[in-house]
Amino acid sequence: MMYGFEWDTATPLTYAWSILPIILIGLTVTLQAAAAGFAIALGLGLVFAMLRRSRIRTVSWTTAVVVEFLRDTPLLVQLFFLYYVLPDYGVTLPAFLTGAIALGLQYSAYTSEVYRGGIDAVPRGQWEAATALNLSRMQTYRDIVVPQIVPRILPAMGNYLVAMIKETPVLSVVTVLEMMALANMIGERTFEYLVPLTLVGVIFLILTLICSAGLHRLQKVLPKAGIPLR
Amino acid sequence: MEWVSYLPSLARGALVTASITLAAIAVGAVLAFAAGIARVEGGRVLSTVALCYTEIFRGTSLLVQLFWFYYALPLVGVSFEPVETGILVLALHVGAYGSEIVRGALSSVSVQQHEAARALNFGRMQTLFRISLPQAIVEMMPAFGNLAIETLKLSSLVSLISIADLTFRAQSIRNLTLDSAGVYSLTLVGYFAMSLVLMALMRLIERALRRGPAFPRAAHS
Amino acid sequence: MTQAVKPPLIQFTNVAKRFGALTVLDDFNFEVAPGEKVTLIGPSGSGKSTVLRILMTLEPFQEGQLSLAGMSYHEPNGTGPFKASERHLRQIRSHVGMVFQSFNLFPHMTVLRNVVEAPARVLGLPRGEAECRAIDLLAMVGLADKKDHYPSQLSGGQQQRVAIARALAMRPRVLLFDEPTSALDPQLVGEVLSVIRGLAHEHDLTMLLVTHEMRFAREVSDRVCFFDKGRICEQGAPEAIFTAPEHPRTREFLASVLR
Ligand SMILES: Nc1ncnc2c1ncn2[C@@H]1O[C@H](COP(=O)(O)OP(=O)(O)OP(=O)(O)O)[C@@H](O)[C@H]1O
Ligand SMILES: [Mg+2]
C-alpha cells in the first residue's frame, strides 16, 4: 500500500490499473520538477547568453568556460555535488529544490546556446537602431531583442523541455519521489518490477509524443505570428 | 592534501567510464546506421520497425530503460551482467538518437546526386554505399560528436546499477570520507577532462574524413 | 533516306505526363532514329527537360507508350509509378546516359574515380580495364592530366567535360544533354561545345540535346524540334527551322532568342 492505494498483483493488467494512481501522483512531481528546472534554465541561460556577449573579455571568457563545464559534466554528479556539498556550507534545501536547481543548471548551458543563436540572428541594424534611440543595454534586450527571438527559439527550447522531462528520474537518487522512484519502491515491495517500470516508460512515451505533436503544431502556427523565422 | 589519496580509485573508475562509453558508442553507431538506413531505404516493414525502435528509446527515459533492463527483465528470465546491461542500454540510446542523425544526413544528400547515380545505372545499394553514405558521413560528424559527449555524461547513470565507474567510486569515497566538496569537484573535473579528450577525438575523426579537397568547407561544430 | 528503313530507336506514342493537376505532356508523339542527333528547343517550361528525364527514367509518365530499342518502358503488369520492375528499369538505363545542367559529379571521388566507378561497379569491368577506358575518355575531353583532382578543384567547363566522359564510359546508345552549358560562364561554354561537337561525328551514338545555343544546334543536329506547351510545334532540318520557320510561335521564339 502506498498513498492509501492498495495493489492487486493478480494479473499484470489489474496490477497496472491498481498502481496507476500512485504513478500519477509521481507524474505530478515529475512535471513540477521539470517546470521548476526549466524556469531556472530559461532565466539562467539568458543571463549566460548576455554575459557571453559582454564587452569585458574576462566576463565573456569566464562565462564560456562555466557554460562549457556545465554542459560537459553529468547531471547526476552535479546533482550529488549540490545535494552533499551545499549543506556543508550551511545551505540546506529540500531535495526537490536541489533537484530542480541541478536540472536548471545543466540545461542553462543548453538554453544559453539557443539564446546565443537567436541573438546572433537579430540583424545588426536593430542594435544600431536601439543605440540611436539611446536605449540602455538592458532596455535593448528587454524591448528589442527578446521579443524578436522568442518565436525563433521556441522550437529548440521546446525540445529541451521534452529532454528535461525525460531526465527527471535522475532526481530519484536524492529521494525526490517522482514517477520512477515510486515505481521502484512498488517493485521492491512486490518483487515485480516489470509492470511498474513498463508503465512509467509508457507514460513517458505518451508524454513525449504529446509534446512533439504540440511542438509540431507550434512550428506551423508561429510564422503567422508576425516575425519571420529566418 | 587529502584529495590526492582519492586519485587511484577515481582513476580506476574513470577507466571503467571510458570503456563503457567507448563500447556503447561503438555498438550504438552500428545500431544508428542500421536503423537510420532502414528508415530511409528499408521499405515499409523495415522502416516501421526502425521507427518504433527510435521512438521507444527516444521517448522513454534512459534511467527507466536502465532499471527496466536491470530489474524487470531478469524477472522474465532474461538477464545480463550489469556491465553488459549498462553498455546495451547506452548503445540502444546512441542507436536511437544516432539513427536520426544518419537519416537526416542521408536525406540531405541532394536529389541531383541521386539522379546522377541513376543515370549511371547504379543499383539502390550501390547508390547508398558508394554515393550517399560517403557524402553523408562527413555531415554527421558534428552531431555524432555531441552525441558522444552526451553518452559519456549519461554513462554516469550506470553507477546506479552497481557498476564501479567514476561516479560510483566518487560515491564510495564520499561515504567513507564525507569530504563531499573535494571528491565531487575532482569527479566533475575528471568528466570534463574526458569530455575534452572525446571532443578532440571526434574532431580528429572529422578532420580525417574531411581531409583532401573533396569536402573543402571548413569544419565546424 | 535511311530513316524510313530503320525502325526508330526511341518512340513516344500518345504519352501523357502530369505533375499533379499540371499536364506537361499531352498526347505526345516523337520518334528518334538510331544515330540521329536531335536538338530540342523551345521556351522555358515547354517540357523539353521532361522528355529527357522520362527517357532517363528519372520521371514516370502516366499514359501512352514509350519504347527504346524495342523495349517498352511500361511492363505489362508492372507496378509502382514507373509501371515496371527495378530490374526492367535498369535494363533500360543500361542503354541511356545523361549529362546534367549542373554536372552532378560525385564530390567525394577524384575525376578518375568518377569515370571508373560506374563501369567497375555496374558493368563489373575489371578495375584496370575500366581505368584504361576512363583515361582514354579523359584524354578525349582534354582532361587526362586532371585525373587525380577532385571536382571542387575544377572549373565548371572542366567538370562538365568530366561528366561527359563519365556518361560515355557506360557506352550508352543514347546520350541526353539537358542544357549542358547553361550553368557555365560564357568563356567556358566553348570547350564543352567542342567536346559535344566531336561526339556528333560518332556514327552510332544517338543524341538528344536541349540547348539555347542556337548556332551550335544548327551546326550539329540532324533535326531540330521546337517545343511549345508540351507539344512539338514544328520540326525539321536545322536549315529549314532556322531560315524558314513556318509556325508563328517558332518565328516568335527564334526572334526572341536570336535578337
Ligand atoms: N517535379 C516537378 N513538379 C511539378 N512540376 C514540375 C516538375 N518538374 C517540372 N515541372 C513543370 O513542368 C513543366 C515543364 O518543365 P520542364 O522542366 O520540362 O521545362 P523545360 O522546357 O525544360 O524548361 P526550361 O527551359 O526552363 O528548363 C514546367 O511548367 C514545370 O514547372
Ligand atoms: Mg529544362
Side-chain angles (χ1 to χ4, degrees), chain B residues 125-160:
Chain B
M125 286 301 124
Q126 287 170 330
T127 305
L128 176 66
F129 285 104
R130 304 287 153 195
I131 312 297
S132 307
L133 266 183
Q135 296 183 50
I137 276 185
V138 182
E139 301 302 316
M140 297 174 197
M141 286 320 291
F144 264 123
N146 288 338
L147 186 56
I149 303 289
E150 192 74 4
T151 309
L152 170 64
K153 286 161 55 183
L154 289 172
S155 77
S156 63
L157 296 181
V158 303
S159 66
L160 303 176

Side-chain angles (χ1 to χ4, degrees), chain C residues 170-188:
Chain C
M170 295 298 280
R171 305 238 163 116
R173 297 183 66 179
V174 181
L175 192 50
L176 312 171
F177 294 86
D178 191 359
E179 304 195 23
T181 57
S182 294
L184 298 177
D185 292 339
Q187 74 273 18
L188 301 178

Side-chain angles (χ1 to χ4, degrees), chain C residues 182-239:
Chain C
S182 294
L184 298 177
D185 292 339
Q187 74 273 18
L188 301 178
V189 169
E191 61 189 54
V192 172
L193 290 186
S194 74
V195 168
I196 301 176
R197 190 178 292 121
L199 291 177
H201 299 306
E202 298 270 336
H203 185 70
D204 292 331
L205 184 67
T206 307
M207 279 174 32
L208 266 70
L209 171 71
V210 174
T211 187
H212 294 303
E213 304 284 339
M214 294 302 156
R215 188 172 306 162
F216 181 72
R218 184 168 178 173
E219 186 188 327
V220 299
S221 35
D222 300 320
R223 175 158 57 116
V224 174
C225 301
F226 173 68
F227 273 62
D228 191 41
K229 302 199 179 85
R231 286 174 183 265
I232 296 175
C233 181
E234 181 171 1
Q235 59 178 318
E239 311 319 316

Side-chain angles (χ1 to χ4, degrees), chain A residues 69 71-74 76-77 80-81 84-85 106 110 166 169 173 180 184 193-194 198 201 204-205 208-209, chain B residues 55 58-61 63 67-68 72 75 97 150 153 156 160 171 174 180-181 184-185 188 191-192 195 199:
Chain A
F69 191 87
R71 192 178 31 200
D72 293 341
T73 50
L76 180 62
V77 183
F80 281 144
F81 188 96
Y84 291 112
V85 176
Q106 168 108 140
Y110 299 136
K166 285 181 290 184
V173 300
M180 201 199 64
N184 269 337
Y193 285 91
L194 192 62
T198 307
F204 269 117
L205 192 58
T208 317
L209 291 177
Chain B
E55 286 302 310
R58 277 154 38 96
T60 58
S61 166
L63 192 52
F67 283 167
W68 197 87
L75 296 175
Y97 281 87
E150 192 74 4
K153 286 161 55 183
S156 63
L160 303 176
Q171 281 292 81
R174 117 93 215 175
S180 308
Y184 289 126
S185 304
L188 285 172
Y191 274 107
F192 188 53
S195 288
M199 242 184 271

